[in-house]
Every structure is written in C-alpha cells, then in structure tokens.
Amino acid sequence: MIPMVDLKAQYRSLQDTLEPAMLTALEATQFILGPNVQAFEKEAAAYLGVEHAVGVASGTDALHLALIAAGVGAGDEVITTPFTFIATAEAIDYVGATPVFVDIDPRTFNLDLNAVESAITPKTRAVIPVHLFGQPVNMVELMELCVARDLHVVEDCAQSFGATVETKNGSVQTGAFGDAGCFSFFPSKNLGCFGDGGLVTTNSSEIAEQLKSLRNHGSKVRYYHSEIGYNSRLDELQAVVLRAKLPQIDNYNQNRRRVAAAYAAGLEGLPVEIPFEDGFGTHVYHQYTLLSEQRENIMEALAAADIAHAIYYPVPLHQQEVFADSCHGVSLPVTEQVAAQCLSLPIYPELEGERVEQITDVIRSVF
Ligand SMILES: *Cc1c(COP(=O)(O)O)cnc(C)c1O
C-alpha cells in the first residue's frame, strides 16, 4: 500500500524535539495566543520575508479575514480561479462579494492572466490568485496588472508554503506580493500542523492590526470591542508543532522536488502530460498532477497495485451545485478539460525513490 501522504513518517522524524516542546507548552498552560503563537508568527514572517504574520484558525479563515481587512465587501466582484478548493470561493461569499471565475492556463493550472484582465469590470475589487499544487502564479505580472487598476490582491498560499517567484530583486516568497497572503496548516499541506491552523502575511501594519482584532472578537484592548470580529486564533499547541516543522520546510520541499524529478524520469516517453514548471519560480509540489486521456485505465491499474491516487479537482467551482445559479451558462473550456484528465499521484517528502519507480512501472504497464 502506498498512501497519498504519510504523516506518521514525518511525526517519527520530529518526535524527539516535538514531544518535549509539547509537554513544556502543556505545563505552561497558556493555551490561547501564548508564547509559541507569538514566536511562530515572528519566525514565519522572517522565513517568508514579510513584515507581519498573524496566526488564525484555518486557511479558510485566513482568506475570510484577509478579504475583510482588504476592504472587500457587498457588491464587489472578486476574480479567481475555478480550479481550486472550494474555500477560496467560500471566503468571497462570506464577505458578501461575488466570485468571478475565469479560465486557467492549461499547463500550470493557474489563473490565465489574460483571462483575468478581460474579466475586470467597474465592480471588480480584488483578485485571488491560487498557487495551485505548489506552483506559484507569475506574481510579478499579476501585481503589475492589479496595481495599475487599483485592485486588491489576496494570495491563496494554502498549497505553496516555501514556493518562491523570481523578481528583479531576487526570489520572493508567495504571500509576500499581495495585500495579504493566506496559508493553511491543514495536516496534509506542505507545512501542516496536527489539526486546523492558518496564517495571514502582510507588509501593511494597518492590515496586520486589523487582522489581530478580527481574529479576537474585534478587540484590540481586552473587553473593549470596536468592531464585530471572530473567534479565529491559531492554537498554541499547533504553534508548537509548526515551530518544530518550520526549520525543516526547505528540506521537505526539496524532497518533494526530488520525488517530482523521479516521477518525471520514470514517466518519460509515456503519453501523459507531466507537471509543467514555468520557470517564473520554484514549484514545491504540494501535489504531483498528471493529465491523461487514459485516466480511468491508469486509476484502475494503480488501484489493483494498492497505490493511492486522487482527482484534484473533479468538479470545477463554476460547475458546483452551490454556484448553479450564479454561474449558469458559464463555460471555461480549459478548466473543464483539465478537470476531466487530471490525476494526482502520491507525493510527500519521505516517499522513497524505489516507491516512485514502483508507481511509474504500474503506469507504464497501462500503455
Ligand atoms: C486547504 C486549502 C484551503 C483551506 O484551508 P483550510 O485550512 O483547510 O481551511 C484554501 N485554499 C486552498 C487552495 C486549499 O488547498
């Protein structure tokens, strides 16, 4: 059996440092916004190269609170990709705005920037690029487009912790370009905790201050409330886990890239489209996703060999039942084609080369 992810292998490798740190936090009993949350926010901001990082309860909340802090609200349109997890669009709906889905690039599966430009109307207030599967969007170009039109940019970095984009000032982390960057620490993400957790990054002290208020019941001074806020804090025990893992993230991502390179070698010459790296930045392979007209046959062979596989995502957001009314008649042919052919294979830092070979041999046997 080869799983999609192996969380236990990572836990075992951290056990010796993590367990004493966890016990110390249990003894300290500062469970809400305690010292580990504060320290993690500092360490994450330093790693990501941003002025501020604010811990929140999930990636979904990160997007929701970032949109509020960016001033997006009722009547606004927010352009985003239909080829993402539902949370990206849910957050837009939470603030009373309307998601406008535009087509994707067939090779990177990320937003097609020409399609973004064409979809801008006087009501457009913001764009949410998603660095899907760990491949960064070309943020240099997107920021140019959005700054010129006074549009807010909220990056969905749930799958891209540690991915970088090349700029004329060197490589810059995803989450350091827009008004805000939104990260998820769901256990299976590149940087995952042991439950739910999230983070918003920003270079604006105003946005950071508002996020700290929003996550804590709209309060800057205890029991004084200046706005309606939420209960959305990063948990102290999750911060302990994240502090143990953060120093390893480059190592984890390099190993994901090693697995991706092994897949590319093993699949060479087969009639499947392997992930494309656009060279604008570093792909951190949250997922390793193929395109194939023979998807059903490949899935059957993998299942017979007890190898996990998954379709991310089978139904694009503009075709989801929840958006049936608002997206009636919308057709996004590239997205629909990709959704019909995509197949994600197991990938995690600890996946051995021999296992990858086993997987590519099974796929090879289909052809
Ligand atoms: C996981 C994910 C989210 C949501 O994060 P949660 O922490 O699960 O709330 C948002 N967007 C994308 C692209 C994701 O993959």
Side-chain angles (χ1 to χ4, degrees):
M1 165 71 191
I2 305 181
M4 287 300 282
V5 291
D6 183 356
L7 299 179
K8 201 171 261 185
Q10 198 160 89
Y11 173 51
R12 287 276 172 265
S13 75
L14 292 167
Q15 205 165 4
D16 289 349
T17 49
L18 189 50
E19 287 181 355
M22 202 60 119
L23 288 176
T24 304
L26 290 179
E27 283 293 333
T29 61
Q30 283 183 267
F31 295 125
I32 301 294
L33 296 179
N36 282 286
V37 170
Q38 284 180 33
F40 175 69
E41 288 176 339
K42 277 215 178 77
E43 290 156 9
Y47 175 85
L48 294 166
V50 293
E51 297 286 322
H52 312 276
V54 180
V56 295
S58 69
T60 306
D61 281 7
L63 289 160
H64 179 196
L65 302 189
L67 285 172
I68 298 175
V72 178
D76 293 335
E77 291 177 356
V78 179
I79 298 172
T80 194
T81 168
F83 197 55
T84 177
F85 181 58
I86 185 74
T88 315
E90 280 178 318
I92 298 170
D93 192 83
Y94 294 160
V95 300
T98 306
V100 174
F101 300 113
V102 303
D103 220 343
I104 59 172
D105 180 291
R107 296 190 300 176
T108 63
F109 311 149
N110 279 332
L111 274 177
D112 173 345
L113 300 191
N114 292 321
V116 171
E117 189 166 9
S118 308
I120 295 170
T121 74
K123 286 187 173 170
T124 307
R125 189 69 195 254
V127 177
I128 305 185
V130 179
H131 307 293
L132 196 76
F133 302 154
Q135 167 121 284
V137 170
N138 184 345
M139 289 307 295
V140 174
E141 239 177 67
L142 181 66
M143 288 311 292
E144 251 173 44
L145 180 75
C146 292
V147 168
R149 288 163 184 77
D150 221 11
L151 299 178
H152 293 291
V153 176
V154 172
E155 295 174 67
D156 184 337
C157 308
Q159 302 186 1
S160 71
F161 201 105
T164 54
V165 177
E166 292 315 311
T167 75
K168 61 180 189 313
N169 301 318
S171 44
V172 174
Q173 292 278 334
T174 59
F177 287 89
D179 300 70
C182 303
F183 293 85
S184 164
F185 303 127
F186 186 85
S188 63
K189 302 287 161 101
N190 284 37
L191 181 64
C193 60
F194 291 177
D196 281 304
L199 187 79
V200 186
T201 54
T202 181
N203 287 313
S204 153
S205 24
E206 221 173 286
I207 288 180
E209 282 314 302
Q210 204 191 344
L211 288 167
K212 284 183 187 167
S213 161
L214 286 169
R215 74 171 170 185
N216 200 24
H217 300 287
S219 166
K220 288 185 177 120
V221 178
R222 205 168 197 186
Y223 302 124
Y224 290 77
H225 305 273
S226 49
E227 63 187 332
I228 293 294
Y230 300 86
N231 177 348
S232 181
R233 296 161 300 219
L234 176 64
D235 191 89
E236 178 74 359
L237 295 180
Q238 301 304 343
V240 172
V241 176
L242 292 164
R243 292 188 73 197
K245 285 195 181 186
L246 182 62
Q248 299 299 324
I249 187 67
D250 285 342
N251 171 27
Y252 294 157
N253 284 337
Q254 273 157 23
N255 270 295
R256 287 175 178 277
R257 290 184 57 77
R258 167 188 61 76
V259 171
Y263 270 127
L267 296 169
E268 210 185 328
L270 296 184
V272 297
E273 234 174 280
I274 64 165
F276 172 74
E277 293 197 27
D278 65 14
F280 297 123
T282 310
H283 195 325
V284 292
Y285 288 99
H286 174 62
Q287 297 297 344
Y288 189 87
T289 304
L290 303 173
L291 293 182
S292 173
E293 286 172 13
Q294 304 269 344
R295 180 170 76 180
E296 295 305 315
N297 295 334
I298 298 175
M299 288 186 358
E300 226 169 82
L302 291 171
D306 217 4
I307 296 166
H309 50 278
I311 298 177
Y312 304 123
Y313 296 94
V315 182
L317 298 192
H318 68 289
Q319 296 182 323
Q320 292 284 351
E321 185 183 349
V322 64
F323 295 124
D325 289 335
S326 58
C327 294
H328 182 74
V330 173
S331 138
L332 300 167
V334 177
T335 303
E336 288 157 29
Q337 166 104 355
V338 168
Q341 295 192 354
C342 63
L343 181 64
S344 299
L345 301 178
I347 191 163
Y348 46 92
E350 299 80 9
L351 185 61
E352 302 98 336
E354 278 164 46
R355 291 285 179 114
V356 176
E357 217 171 294
Q358 206 180 317
I359 297 167
T360 56
D361 284 348
V362 169
I363 296 175
R364 190 164 287 280
S365 72
V366 173
F367 296 96

mmCIF file with all atom_site columns, all heavy atoms in Angstrom, residues 120-134:
data_model
loop_
_atom_site.group_PDB
_atom_site.id
_atom_site.type_symbol
_atom_site.label_atom_id
_atom_site.label_alt_id
_atom_site.label_comp_id
_atom_site.label_asym_id
_atom_site.label_entity_id
_atom_site.label_seq_id
_atom_site.pdbx_PDB_ins_code
_atom_site.Cartn_x
_atom_site.Cartn_y
_atom_site.Cartn_z
_atom_site.occupancy
_atom_site.B_iso_or_equiv
_atom_site.pdbx_formal_charge
_atom_site.auth_seq_id
_atom_site.auth_comp_id
_atom_site.auth_asym_id
_atom_site.auth_atom_id
_atom_site.pdbx_PDB_model_num
ATOM 1   N N   . ILE A 1 120 ? -12.136 42.020 -15.825 1.00 0.00 ? 120 ILE A N   1
ATOM 2   C CA  . ILE A 1 120 ? -12.225 43.191 -14.935 1.00 0.00 ? 120 ILE A CA  1
ATOM 3   C C   . ILE A 1 120 ? -13.387 44.088 -15.352 1.00 0.00 ? 120 ILE A C   1
ATOM 4   O O   . ILE A 1 120 ? -13.550 44.402 -16.531 1.00 0.00 ? 120 ILE A O   1
ATOM 5   C CB  . ILE A 1 120 ? -10.890 43.968 -14.929 1.00 0.00 ? 120 ILE A CB  1
ATOM 6   C CG1 . ILE A 1 120 ? -9.786  43.090 -14.325 1.00 0.00 ? 120 ILE A CG1 1
ATOM 7   C CG2 . ILE A 1 120 ? -11.010 45.278 -14.155 1.00 0.00 ? 120 ILE A CG2 1
ATOM 8   C CD1 . ILE A 1 120 ? -8.373  43.656 -14.485 1.00 0.00 ? 120 ILE A CD1 1
ATOM 9   N N   . THR A 1 121 ? -14.225 44.444 -14.378 1.00 0.00 ? 121 THR A N   1
ATOM 10  C CA  . THR A 1 121 ? -15.341 45.370 -14.613 1.00 0.00 ? 121 THR A CA  1
ATOM 11  C C   . THR A 1 121 ? -15.213 46.496 -13.584 1.00 0.00 ? 121 THR A C   1
ATOM 12  O O   . THR A 1 121 ? -14.364 46.428 -12.688 1.00 0.00 ? 121 THR A O   1
ATOM 13  C CB  . THR A 1 121 ? -16.709 44.675 -14.391 1.00 0.00 ? 121 THR A CB  1
ATOM 14  O OG1 . THR A 1 121 ? -16.900 44.499 -12.967 1.00 0.00 ? 121 THR A OG1 1
ATOM 15  C CG2 . THR A 1 121 ? -16.798 43.321 -15.093 1.00 0.00 ? 121 THR A CG2 1
ATOM 16  N N   . PRO A 1 122 ? -16.077 47.518 -13.678 1.00 0.00 ? 122 PRO A N   1
ATOM 17  C CA  . PRO A 1 122 ? -16.017 48.573 -12.655 1.00 0.00 ? 122 PRO A CA  1
ATOM 18  C C   . PRO A 1 122 ? -16.287 48.051 -11.233 1.00 0.00 ? 122 PRO A C   1
ATOM 19  O O   . PRO A 1 122 ? -15.927 48.693 -10.248 1.00 0.00 ? 122 PRO A O   1
ATOM 20  C CB  . PRO A 1 122 ? -17.122 49.541 -13.097 1.00 0.00 ? 122 PRO A CB  1
ATOM 21  C CG  . PRO A 1 122 ? -17.283 49.291 -14.564 1.00 0.00 ? 122 PRO A CG  1
ATOM 22  C CD  . PRO A 1 122 ? -17.004 47.843 -14.776 1.00 0.00 ? 122 PRO A CD  1
ATOM 23  N N   . LYS A 1 123 ? -16.934 46.885 -11.139 1.00 0.00 ? 123 LYS A N   1
ATOM 24  C CA  . LYS A 1 123 ? -17.228 46.331 -9.805  1.00 0.00 ? 123 LYS A CA  1
ATOM 25  C C   . LYS A 1 123 ? -16.081 45.490 -9.243  1.00 0.00 ? 123 LYS A C   1
ATOM 26  O O   . LYS A 1 123 ? -16.113 45.104 -8.066  1.00 0.00 ? 123 LYS A O   1
ATOM 27  C CB  . LYS A 1 123 ? -18.465 45.433 -9.876  1.00 0.00 ? 123 LYS A CB  1
ATOM 28  C CG  . LYS A 1 123 ? -19.774 46.190 -10.021 1.00 0.00 ? 123 LYS A CG  1
ATOM 29  C CD  . LYS A 1 123 ? -20.905 45.190 -9.912  1.00 0.00 ? 123 LYS A CD  1
ATOM 30  C CE  . LYS A 1 123 ? -22.251 45.890 -9.872  1.00 0.00 ? 123 LYS A CE  1
ATOM 31  N NZ  . LYS A 1 123 ? -23.341 44.914 -10.007 1.00 0.00 ? 123 LYS A NZ  1
ATOM 32  N N   . THR A 1 124 ? -15.091 45.176 -10.071 1.00 0.00 ? 124 THR A N   1
ATOM 33  C CA  . THR A 1 124 ? -14.001 44.315 -9.593  1.00 0.00 ? 124 THR A CA  1
ATOM 34  C C   . THR A 1 124 ? -13.224 45.023 -8.496  1.00 0.00 ? 124 THR A C   1
ATOM 35  O O   . THR A 1 124 ? -12.802 46.177 -8.663  1.00 0.00 ? 124 THR A O   1
ATOM 36  C CB  . THR A 1 124 ? -13.036 43.958 -10.738 1.00 0.00 ? 124 THR A CB  1
ATOM 37  O OG1 . THR A 1 124 ? -13.796 43.418 -11.814 1.00 0.00 ? 124 THR A OG1 1
ATOM 38  C CG2 . THR A 1 124 ? -12.000 42.940 -10.281 1.00 0.00 ? 124 THR A CG2 1
ATOM 39  N N   . ARG A 1 125 ? -13.064 44.315 -7.368  1.00 0.00 ? 125 ARG A N   1
ATOM 40  C CA  . ARG A 1 125 ? -12.381 44.934 -6.242  1.00 0.00 ? 125 ARG A CA  1
ATOM 41  C C   . ARG A 1 125 ? -11.066 44.237 -5.920  1.00 0.00 ? 125 ARG A C   1
ATOM 42  O O   . ARG A 1 125 ? -10.140 44.821 -5.397  1.00 0.00 ? 125 ARG A O   1
ATOM 43  C CB  . ARG A 1 125 ? -13.340 44.837 -5.042  1.00 0.00 ? 125 ARG A CB  1
ATOM 44  C CG  . ARG A 1 125 ? -12.938 45.585 -3.823  1.00 0.00 ? 125 ARG A CG  1
ATOM 45  C CD  . ARG A 1 125 ? -13.038 47.067 -4.082  1.00 0.00 ? 125 ARG A CD  1
ATOM 46  N NE  . ARG A 1 125 ? -12.317 47.782 -3.044  1.00 0.00 ? 125 ARG A NE  1
ATOM 47  C CZ  . ARG A 1 125 ? -12.899 48.455 -2.052  1.00 0.00 ? 125 ARG A CZ  1
ATOM 48  N NH1 . ARG A 1 125 ? -14.193 48.546 -2.006  1.00 0.00 ? 125 ARG A NH1 1
ATOM 49  N NH2 . ARG A 1 125 ? -12.172 49.046 -1.142  1.00 0.00 ? 125 ARG A NH2 1
ATOM 50  N N   . ALA A 1 126 ? -11.021 42.945 -6.245  1.00 0.00 ? 126 ALA A N   1
ATOM 51  C CA  . ALA A 1 126 ? -9.835  42.179 -5.848  1.00 0.00 ? 126 ALA A CA  1
ATOM 52  C C   . ALA A 1 126 ? -9.659  40.957 -6.739  1.00 0.00 ? 126 ALA A C   1
ATOM 53  O O   . ALA A 1 126 ? -10.584 40.552 -7.440  1.00 0.00 ? 126 ALA A O   1
ATOM 54  C CB  . ALA A 1 126 ? -9.959  41.728 -4.393  1.00 0.00 ? 126 ALA A CB  1
ATOM 55  N N   . VAL A 1 127 ? -8.451  40.406 -6.690  1.00 0.00 ? 127 VAL A N   1
ATOM 56  C CA  . VAL A 1 127 ? -8.145  39.157 -7.379  1.00 0.00 ? 127 VAL A CA  1
ATOM 57  C C   . VAL A 1 127 ? -7.557  38.211 -6.329  1.00 0.00 ? 127 VAL A C   1
ATOM 58  O O   . VAL A 1 127 ? -6.742  38.620 -5.496  1.00 0.00 ? 127 VAL A O   1
ATOM 59  C CB  . VAL A 1 127 ? -7.123  39.372 -8.516  1.00 0.00 ? 127 VAL A CB  1
ATOM 60  C CG1 . VAL A 1 127 ? -6.759  38.042 -9.185  1.00 0.00 ? 127 VAL A CG1 1
ATOM 61  C CG2 . VAL A 1 127 ? -7.671  40.354 -9.555  1.00 0.00 ? 127 VAL A CG2 1
ATOM 62  N N   . ILE A 1 128 ? -7.993  36.954 -6.364  1.00 0.00 ? 128 ILE A N   1
ATOM 63  C CA  . ILE A 1 128 ? -7.356  35.929 -5.510  1.00 0.00 ? 128 ILE A CA  1
ATOM 64  C C   . ILE A 1 128 ? -6.650  34.922 -6.410  1.00 0.00 ? 128 ILE A C   1
ATOM 65  O O   . ILE A 1 128 ? -7.278  34.043 -6.981  1.00 0.00 ? 128 ILE A O   1
ATOM 66  C CB  . ILE A 1 128 ? -8.367  35.176 -4.618  1.00 0.00 ? 128 ILE A CB  1
ATOM 67  C CG1 . ILE A 1 128 ? -9.180  36.143 -3.760  1.00 0.00 ? 128 ILE A CG1 1
ATOM 68  C CG2 . ILE A 1 128 ? -7.621  34.165 -3.720  1.00 0.00 ? 128 ILE A CG2 1
ATOM 69  C CD1 . ILE A 1 128 ? -10.107 35.450 -2.758  1.00 0.00 ? 128 ILE A CD1 1
ATOM 70  N N   . PRO A 1 129 ? -5.319  35.063 -6.556  1.00 0.00 ? 129 PRO A N   1
ATOM 71  C CA  . PRO A 1 129 ? -4.571  34.025 -7.247  1.00 0.00 ? 129 PRO A CA  1
ATOM 72  C C   . PRO A 1 129 ? -4.347  32.859 -6.287  1.00 0.00 ? 129 PRO A C   1
ATOM 73  O O   . PRO A 1 129 ? -4.127  33.072 -5.096  1.00 0.00 ? 129 PRO A O   1
ATOM 74  C CB  . PRO A 1 129 ? -3.242  34.714 -7.570  1.00 0.00 ? 129 PRO A CB  1
ATOM 75  C CG  . PRO A 1 129 ? -3.081  35.735 -6.476  1.00 0.00 ? 129 PRO A CG  1
ATOM 76  C CD  . PRO A 1 129 ? -4.469  36.163 -6.069  1.00 0.00 ? 129 PRO A CD  1
ATOM 77  N N   . VAL A 1 130 ? -4.441  31.645 -6.802  1.00 0.00 ? 130 VAL A N   1
ATOM 78  C CA  . VAL A 1 130 ? -4.161  30.442 -6.001  1.00 0.00 ? 130 VAL A CA  1
ATOM 79  C C   . VAL A 1 130 ? -2.896  29.810 -6.573  1.00 0.00 ? 130 VAL A C   1
ATOM 80  O O   . VAL A 1 130 ? -2.847  29.517 -7.771  1.00 0.00 ? 130 VAL A O   1
ATOM 81  C CB  . VAL A 1 130 ? -5.327  29.434 -6.083  1.00 0.00 ? 130 VAL A CB  1
ATOM 82  C CG1 . VAL A 1 130 ? -5.015  28.181 -5.255  1.00 0.00 ? 130 VAL A CG1 1
ATOM 83  C CG2 . VAL A 1 130 ? -6.634  30.065 -5.619  1.00 0.00 ? 130 VAL A CG2 1
ATOM 84  N N   . HIS A 1 131 ? -1.903  29.622 -5.726  1.00 0.00 ? 131 HIS A N   1
ATOM 85  C CA  . HIS A 1 131 ? -0.663  28.979 -6.180  1.00 0.00 ? 131 HIS A CA  1
ATOM 86  C C   . HIS A 1 131 ? -0.897  27.466 -6.133  1.00 0.00 ? 131 HIS A C   1
ATOM 87  O O   . HIS A 1 131 ? -0.495  26.780 -5.192  1.00 0.00 ? 131 HIS A O   1
ATOM 88  C CB  . HIS A 1 131 ? 0.510   29.401 -5.285  1.00 0.00 ? 131 HIS A CB  1
ATOM 89  C CG  . HIS A 1 131 ? 0.645   30.895 -5.162  1.00 0.00 ? 131 HIS A CG  1
ATOM 90  N ND1 . HIS A 1 131 ? 0.997   31.699 -6.224  1.00 0.00 ? 131 HIS A ND1 1
ATOM 91  C CD2 . HIS A 1 131 ? 0.452   31.740 -4.113  1.00 0.00 ? 131 HIS A CD2 1
ATOM 92  C CE1 . HIS A 1 131 ? 1.052   32.972 -5.817  1.00 0.00 ? 131 HIS A CE1 1
ATOM 93  N NE2 . HIS A 1 131 ? 0.714   33.013 -4.542  1.00 0.00 ? 131 HIS A NE2 1
ATOM 94  N N   . LEU A 1 132 ? -1.600  26.985 -7.145  1.00 0.00 ? 132 LEU A N   1
ATOM 95  C CA  . LEU A 1 132 ? -2.158  25.634 -7.084  1.00 0.00 ? 132 LEU A CA  1
ATOM 96  C C   . LEU A 1 132 ? -1.103  24.547 -7.156  1.00 0.00 ? 132 LEU A C   1
ATOM 97  O O   . LEU A 1 132 ? -0.197  24.599 -7.994  1.00 0.00 ? 132 LEU A O   1
ATOM 98  C CB  . LEU A 1 132 ? -3.178  25.435 -8.215  1.00 0.00 ? 132 LEU A CB  1
ATOM 99  C CG  . LEU A 1 132 ? -4.076  24.221 -7.991  1.00 0.00 ? 132 LEU A CG  1
ATOM 100 C CD1 . LEU A 1 132 ? -5.138  24.499 -6.938  1.00 0.00 ? 132 LEU A CD1 1
ATOM 101 C CD2 . LEU A 1 132 ? -4.704  23.754 -9.283  1.00 0.00 ? 132 LEU A CD2 1
ATOM 102 N N   . PHE A 1 133 ? -1.282  23.553 -6.300  1.00 0.00 ? 133 PHE A N   1
ATOM 103 C CA  . PHE A 1 133 ? -0.406  22.374 -6.230  1.00 0.00 ? 133 PHE A CA  1
ATOM 104 C C   . PHE A 1 133 ? 1.034   22.764 -5.882  1.00 0.00 ? 133 PHE A C   1
ATOM 105 O O   . PHE A 1 133 ? 1.953   21.959 -6.030  1.00 0.00 ? 133 PHE A O   1
ATOM 106 C CB  . PHE A 1 133 ? -0.425  21.576 -7.547  1.00 0.00 ? 133 PHE A CB  1
ATOM 107 C CG  . PHE A 1 133 ? -1.788  21.089 -7.961  1.00 0.00 ? 133 PHE A CG  1
ATOM 108 C CD1 . PHE A 1 133 ? -2.090  20.856 -9.301  1.00 0.00 ? 133 PHE A CD1 1
ATOM 109 C CD2 . PHE A 1 133 ? -2.774  20.833 -7.013  1.00 0.00 ? 133 PHE A CD2 1
ATOM 110 C CE1 . PHE A 1 133 ? -3.340  20.384 -9.683  1.00 0.00 ? 133 PHE A CE1 1
ATOM 111 C CE2 . PHE A 1 133 ? -4.041  20.363 -7.388  1.00 0.00 ? 133 PHE A CE2 1
ATOM 112 C CZ  . PHE A 1 133 ? -4.315  20.141 -8.737  1.00 0.00 ? 133 PHE A CZ  1
ATOM 113 N N   . GLY A 1 134 ? 1.260   24.025 -5.452  1.00 0.00 ? 134 GLY A N   1
ATOM 114 C CA  . GLY A 1 134 ? 2.601   24.460 -5.079  1.00 0.00 ? 134 GLY A CA  1
ATOM 115 C C   . GLY A 1 134 ? 3.340   25.207 -6.166  1.00 0.00 ? 134 GLY A C   1
ATOM 116 O O   . GLY A 1 134 ? 4.490   25.610 -5.975  1.00 0.00 ? 134 GLY A O   1
#
